[in-house]
């Protein structure tokens, strides 16, 4: 039997600007599951930062994390497949971050590491503190990212932030040209850097095909540049109304924004 799949980005898509799930989305997705759809989270987040949403959706599928860098089994608490950053490249990137005074949050093993608390870290930590302790992601301040990179088992990605988005854009181009890493915008002031070739679309395709399913039967919802690869790989790519025009142009369908019942309405009208 062909299994249909709904692939869901979180921030800017399934989540509201307040990082909450709309009750209408939860209900519609539950009805989709009852109708035979498989639901899978495909996010730029670390797996430690999606606990409340994974649990609210009552999922049993693995999650695709850090823009396709790895596939994580929540129930077994283990990484199933991964393509982490080589330590040498991470060290080169950290050197560039220091030289250009760009803040980098390093996603590793079971935590996110930083040297200086910037606006992005402060905001995300504040959100984390609002969660039950068992669901809180781990943020750890370290004296040296370079030293930490030598001590961890896996480096999933870096999230770079800067109030000057032109500076950030120039830095991302420098990293692509000199280090050959994958740079993708995941928020209006955030660029994610991972191993070359990693993408949401690639990891989603690998997972779907490993289950004997077809990407033609996948409906993917996303809103940002790091979602383009899966919007294009899916049989139906659905862009949110709050997405940039360049992202909308790469989707099959554009719906309303993430503050309204847009996902629920699409599911009821087109899937069940």
């Amino acid at each position: 039997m062909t299994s249909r799949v709904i692939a869901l980005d979180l921030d800017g898509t399934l989540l509201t600007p307040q990082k909450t799930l709309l009750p209408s989305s939860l209900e519609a997705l539950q009805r989709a599951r009852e109708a035979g759809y498989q639901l899978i989270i495909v996010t730029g987040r670390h797996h430690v930062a999606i606990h409340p949403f994974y649990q609210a959706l009552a999922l049993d599928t693995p999650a695709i994390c850090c823009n396709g860098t790895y596939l994580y089994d929540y129930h077994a608490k283990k990484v199933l497949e991964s393509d982490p950053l080589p330590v040498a490249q991470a060290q080169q990137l950290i050197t560039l971050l220091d030289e250009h005074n760009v803040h980098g949050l390093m996603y590793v093993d079971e935590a996110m590491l930083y040297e200086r608390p910037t606006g992005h870290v402060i905001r995300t930590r504040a959100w984390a503190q609002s969660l039950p302790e068992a669901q809180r992601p781990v943020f750890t301040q370290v004296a040296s990212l370079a030293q930490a990179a030598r001590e961890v088992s896996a480096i999933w990605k870096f999230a770079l932030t800067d109030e000057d988005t032109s500076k950030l854009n120039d830095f991302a181009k420098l990293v692509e040209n000199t280090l050959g890493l994958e740079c993708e915008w995941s928020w209006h002031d955030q660029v994610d850097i991972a191993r070359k070739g990693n993408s949401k679309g690639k990891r989603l395709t690998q997972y779907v095909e490993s289950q004997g399913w077809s990407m033609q039967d996948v409906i993917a919802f996303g809103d940002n540049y790091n979602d383009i690869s899966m919007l294009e790989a899916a049989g139906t790519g659905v862009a949110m109304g709050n997405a940039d025009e360049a992202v909308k142009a790469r989707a099959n369908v554009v719906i309303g924004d993430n503050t309204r019942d847009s996902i629920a309405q699409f599911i009821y009208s087109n899937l069940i």
Side-chain angles (χ1 to χ4, degrees), residues 28-251:
L29 289 167
Q30 177 57 33
R31 289 186 57 183
R33 287 185 69 189
E34 291 167 357
Y37 282 88
Q38 301 285 332
L39 308 184
I40 182 167
I41 289 175
V42 187
T43 180
R45 289 183 177 228
H46 195 299
H47 69 268
V48 299
I50 65 175
H51 284 298
F53 316 119
Y54 189 91
Q55 291 168 2
L57 291 162
L59 299 182
D60 54 10
T61 49
I64 293 172
C65 302
C66 289
N67 299 324
T69 294
Y70 65 105
L71 183 70
Y72 186 79
D73 184 330
Y74 263 92
H75 299 280
K77 293 183 170 55
K78 68 177 183 179
V79 173
L80 301 177
E81 298 173 0
S82 68
D83 292 293
L85 269 168
V87 174
Q89 281 190 305
Q91 298 281 15
Q92 290 174 311
L93 175 57
I94 292 166
T95 298
L96 285 179
L97 291 171
D98 291 341
E99 289 175 354
H100 293 265
N101 194 30
V102 174
H103 170 73
L105 183 63
M106 188 167 73
Y107 290 51
V108 304
D109 301 341
E110 302 287 327
M112 289 162 282
L113 312 181
Y114 64 93
E115 290 182 355
R116 321 185 291 281
T118 63
H120 169 69
V121 171
I122 293 167
R123 288 194 304 271
T124 311
R125 279 193 318 194
W127 166 76
Q129 290 303 309
S130 72
L131 299 172
E133 189 171 353
Q135 294 184 344
R136 290 177 192 166
V138 180
F139 286 90
T140 304
Q141 187 167 15
V142 295
S144 166
L145 286 180
Q147 178 64 31
R150 291 190 288 270
E151 297 171 349
V152 298
S153 297
I155 302 166
W156 305 128
K157 76 166 189 178
F158 283 76
L160 314 186
T161 57
D162 199 288
E163 292 180 359
D164 185 343
T165 54
S166 295
K167 172 186 173 183
L168 199 55
N169 188 53
D170 290 342
F171 184 80
K173 289 178 180 176
L174 172 68
V175 169
E176 287 183 329
N177 292 334
T178 60
L179 302 184
L181 296 175
E182 199 78 48
C183 299
E184 294 184 305
W185 288 86
S186 61
W187 204 242
H188 63 87
D189 63 350
Q190 179 173 315
V191 170
D192 292 345
I193 299 184
R195 189 171 189 162
K196 185 73 173 176
N198 287 354
S199 72
K200 290 186 176 186
K202 179 181 177 181
R203 187 70 68 187
L204 178 61
T205 300
Q206 288 176 347
Y207 172 71
V208 167
E209 292 180 348
S210 75
Q211 302 302 302
W213 306 331
S214 168
M215 286 299 291
Q216 285 303 306
D217 297 312
V218 175
I219 302 94
F221 292 85
D223 76 296
N224 222 309
Y225 289 88
N226 61 332
D227 295 314
I228 288 175
S229 62
M230 77 166 177
L231 294 179
E232 292 188 326
T236 305
V238 183
M240 304 302 292
N242 47 285
D244 283 356
E245 293 304 315
V247 179
K248 293 177 184 177
R250 310 287 277 277

